[in-house]
Amino acid sequence: MKQLRNNVIRAGLGALYFSGAHHLLRPLLSGVGAIFMLHHVRPAREAAFQPNRHLEVTPDFLRATLRHLRSRDIDIVSMDELHERLVQGRFARRFAAFTLDDGYRDNLEHALPVLREFDAPSTVYVASDFAEGVGRLWWTALEAVVAKAEQVEVQIGRAVLRLDASTPAAKQATFDRLHDWLRALPGEHDLKREIEALCAKHDVDMAALCRGLCMSWDEVKQLAADPLMTIGAHTISHCNLAKQSEATAAQEMAASRARIEHALDRPVQHFAYPYGDREAAGEREFLLAASAGFKTAVTTRPGMLFAENAGHMTALPRVSLNGNYQDARILPVLTSGAATAMWNGFRRIAAA
């Protein structure tokens, strides 16, 4: 099903590009700017089974995106500058901000050098448990489990399932089945229990994965020392905030901010919701982020920025730079706003 969705999205992007419709729609749909969302930036991997491919782009694709924006005379700004322009209604020039979620080491090793080439500010949202080396990157752990298994046995409800993982296609289907199940579990303790059981059964060290992929506090400090970089908060544990009690969700926001401020000795004013879709961040979470004093908070809901977004600073949409669609030809489509407008049913604001 996910592969079908990817194919449909790819076909839609291609149709907008080859028809030239994005040129006609740009004046209506491109808005005043955009926030681009990334996770990993690193060289392409060769493995046939890469279920989290959508979360990574190559340095060359990031470079192509930045080159495209510069060629369109679009200002690349920090989240502080973006906030100011929205509040002040300064829309004489279109603008774009770059954001990277989670706090991966490749942001320092591979993304930062490319950003420096273009003098492009960026914000990295750090989950504090990840920086401390104790976080659960459960989606990466699940990839490691399925990658090394020929079969994955798991109990879902009363049924014991034995899922084939003998070929890349079978592995993808098994990963999708387990990923959807884990995302749908009622609480973080349920997800923790099940992913830890899978890791124990298949000899996957989840803590080692975190330490191997995520920046330590010393590396976060090194990144933050660059004048182009801003560090934002991304909760303590990368939990689904909508599934937490209000008190726990507020604590995840406040404590992650406090930990980062303590480590860096500077204020943290921007936030990103883990997962960030409608099932993970809604009106309650938007109000909590505002009450916590964050200047901005970003979702993963797709969309361009319009003047009206100034009234919804803790529910900002983003444009995903998705590893499944690393084709420079789609960049004019993405910056036209046509793709996200179609996804949103041509609504400008989706903040409820």
Side-chain angles (χ1 to χ4, degrees):
M1 181 61 71
K2 289 184 179 179
Q3 186 58 49
L4 175 61
R5 184 181 67 180
N6 288 340
N7 290 339
V8 169
I9 292 172
R10 186 175 292 107
L13 291 170
L16 286 169
Y17 172 78
F18 287 112
S19 69
H22 61 290
H23 292 302
L24 299 175
L25 295 171
R26 182 182 301 276
L28 298 173
L29 304 178
S30 61
V32 299
I35 304 171
F36 289 96
M37 175 179 65
L38 304 95
H39 292 77
H40 289 283
V41 178
R42 60 188 180 187
R45 296 182 291 153
E46 298 299 325
F49 172 61
Q50 294 187 50
N52 290 307
R53 187 196 305 267
H54 62 292
L55 296 177
E56 57 188 86
V57 301
T58 66
D60 282 344
F61 187 66
L62 175 58
R63 185 175 289 110
T65 304
L66 290 161
R67 186 179 296 119
H68 169 73
L69 294 172
R70 291 296 192 207
S71 73
R72 296 279 180 175
D73 204 26
I74 294 172
D75 293 342
I76 302 174
V77 302
S78 67
M79 287 300 293
D80 283 328
E81 176 73 12
L82 180 143
H83 176 266
E84 288 183 12
R85 292 196 186 195
L86 283 174
V87 169
Q88 297 171 6
R90 290 165 44 207
F91 305 138
R93 291 176 58 84
R94 294 190 65 227
F95 52 88
F98 279 76
T99 61
L100 301 102
D101 289 8
D102 299 341
Y104 296 111
R105 183 170 294 110
D106 54 58
N107 296 177
L108 174 64
E109 296 175 341
H110 296 292
L112 181 57
V114 178
L115 294 164
R116 283 173 173 163
E117 288 177 31
F118 292 85
D119 194 29
S122 184
T123 296
V124 174
Y125 299 104
V126 173
S128 57
D129 272 359
F130 294 176
E132 293 177 9
V134 297
R136 292 191 306 277
L137 284 78
W138 64 265
W139 55 95
T140 302
L142 181 61
E143 177 178 343
V145 164
V146 178
K148 67 189 304 184
E150 291 292 310
Q151 183 184 79
V152 180
E153 182 177 302
V154 62
Q155 182 170 339
I156 299 179
R158 296 183 178 179
V160 175
L161 304 182
R162 294 174 179 83
L163 303 174
D164 182 23
S166 59
T167 67
K171 287 180 184 297
Q172 183 65 58
T174 290
F175 177 91
D176 290 345
R177 175 70 176 89
L178 295 175
H179 184 279
D180 290 348
W181 166 60
L182 290 168
R183 270 293 310 263
L185 288 172
E188 290 297 313
H189 62 285
D190 300 297
L191 192 158
K192 179 177 183 292
R193 180 188 66 245
E194 298 298 346
I195 193 62
E196 287 182 351
L198 283 168
C199 286
K201 186 180 297 185
H202 294 275
D203 194 26
V204 170
D205 187 336
M206 192 154 40
L209 282 175
C210 178
R211 293 191 298 271
L213 289 172
C214 294
M215 289 183 288
S216 67
W217 283 123
D218 284 344
E219 289 167 317
V220 174
K221 291 177 187 177
Q222 182 182 343
L223 186 71
D226 192 289
L228 290 173
M229 304 307 296
T230 299
I231 305 300
H234 200 37
T235 72
I236 302 169
S237 62
H238 199 281
C239 64
N240 183 328
L241 289 169
K243 291 185 177 182
Q244 312 307 310
S245 69
E246 183 170 328
T248 298
Q251 173 68 8
E252 282 274 346
M253 292 183 183
S256 66
R257 178 186 203 166
R259 288 186 188 181
I260 298 168
E261 289 180 337
H262 176 75
L264 302 183
D265 193 26
R266 66 179 65 184
V268 172
Q269 299 180 311
H270 305 281
F271 183 78
Y273 305 100
Y275 311 108
D277 55 20
R278 291 180 178 277
E279 287 70 42
E283 186 173 0
R284 187 194 72 168
E285 288 68 47
F286 303 155
L287 291 172
L288 286 174
S291 297
F294 288 109
K295 289 168 64 174
T296 71
V298 294
T299 70
T300 63
R301 299 184 187 192
M304 308 299 283
L305 296 176
F306 296 89
E308 298 94 320
N309 284 108
H312 305 278
M313 284 294 192
T314 57
L316 296 176
R318 291 189 283 180
V319 176
S320 174
L321 292 182
N322 188 307
N324 288 321
Y325 317 113
Q326 294 186 73
D327 184 342
R329 293 180 302 179
I330 73 166
L331 293 172
V333 176
L334 291 181
T335 56
S336 74
T340 53
M342 292 177 68
W343 183 275
N344 289 324
F346 294 91
R347 290 177 302 163
R348 286 184 173 225
I349 304 296

